[in-house]
Amino acid sequence: MGLDLAEGADMVMVKPGLPYLDIVRRVKDEFKAPTFVYQVSASIRCCAPRSPTSGLPESCVMEALLAFKRAGADGILTYFALDAAQALQRGATARAKGS
């Protein structure tokens, strides 16, 4: 990654992200560059069983995304981007109504 940055890369990416959270943190700390993770579909499936009718639990997806953020990721590429955005919007709406 250091060579990529030396050659002019604007950011670095860790793929797959979930099994390499420690690497995400080390890359972020060592290179001080924007660090992105790619959430491959297989890594999220190992977090929770998937039923044929219900898909993955939202809590499982959101916990994985939060783990990336805690590890230092500046950006997350995921197949669940739309689902996560909708969940965050629902949460923001519920907090606004409760205030």
Side-chain angles (χ1 to χ4, degrees):
M1 290 189 181
L3 182 58
D4 293 330
L5 292 166
E7 291 178 349
D10 296 324
M11 50 77 70
V12 293
M13 181 177 288
V14 177
K15 174 189 173 186
L18 199 55
Y20 296 109
L21 294 173
D22 59 324
I23 301 301
V24 173
R25 172 51 59 196
R26 287 176 61 192
V27 165
K28 184 68 177 176
D29 290 346
E30 184 172 334
F31 296 108
K32 309 283 192 258
T35 305
F36 286 68
V37 295
Y38 181 74
Q39 182 183 42
V40 297
S41 58
S43 68
I44 194 70
R45 282 196 203 110
C46 65
C47 293
R50 181 179 177 153
S51 79
T53 57
S54 67
L56 291 168
E58 183 178 280
S59 61
C60 178
V61 172
M62 296 305 287
E63 182 61 31
L65 298 177
L66 182 59
F68 291 135
K69 195 65 181 158
R70 285 192 315 254
D74 295 298
I76 304 165
L77 281 74
T78 176
Y79 294 108
F80 299 101
L82 184 57
D83 297 327
Q86 290 169 344
L88 291 170
Q89 183 61 44
R90 282 193 306 275
T93 301
R95 284 189 298 277
K97 288 181 180 178
S99 298

